[in-house]
Amino acid sequence: MTVPRFGNLRDGPAPQAPGAETFTELLHAGGARVERIASRAVRDGAWYEQPWPEFVLLVAGAGRLAFADGTEQALGPGDWAHLPAGCRHRVAWTDPGAETIWLAVHLP
């Protein structure tokens, strides 16, 4: 028998230091991966250029994504982004006074 799982995106490990992020995989099925990301006081995070598309939803806090062309996009609770495969991006900033929670869906 298959048993459903439940949770809350606000529950999970917090970053241990300013500028850190924690990644928690919530689900991996059908070639897709869903993860919870918690950030605190990130400035100019690592660049990502993934070979798969990604859907990102900002759940709590505030952040800005930066792109290779020099543009940035501010995000608040409820804002989402679709990042096509090969889209070079990074977290440019997250709120230093509160934990920022993201939901990321990595698509096959």
Side-chain angles (χ1 to χ4, degrees):
M1 177 176 167
T2 303
V3 178
R5 292 176 45 208
F6 300 91
N8 188 304
L9 288 175
R10 295 183 187 271
D11 296 336
Q16 296 300 309
E21 294 187 293
T22 60
F23 299 83
T24 304
E25 186 173 283
L26 303 176
L27 175 68
H28 194 148
R33 185 168 47 92
V34 179
E35 66 183 355
R36 173 194 184 270
I37 305 169
S39 309
R40 182 179 286 278
V42 172
R43 294 199 62 194
D44 298 328
W47 285 101
Y48 294 97
E49 189 172 351
Q50 301 156 164
W52 55 80
E54 180 180 5
F55 175 87
V56 179
L57 170 69
L58 195 137
V59 176
R64 280 195 319 267
L65 294 178
F67 300 93
D69 66 1
T71 62
E72 291 190 2
Q73 177 67 45
L75 299 168
D79 291 336
W80 59 269
H82 170 253
L83 307 173
C87 176
R88 187 168 166 84
H89 67 284
R90 70 177 177 185
V91 175
W93 174 88
T94 64
D95 185 349
E99 188 174 60
T100 298
I101 305 293
W102 313 77
L103 178 70
V105 180
H106 302 273
L107 300 165

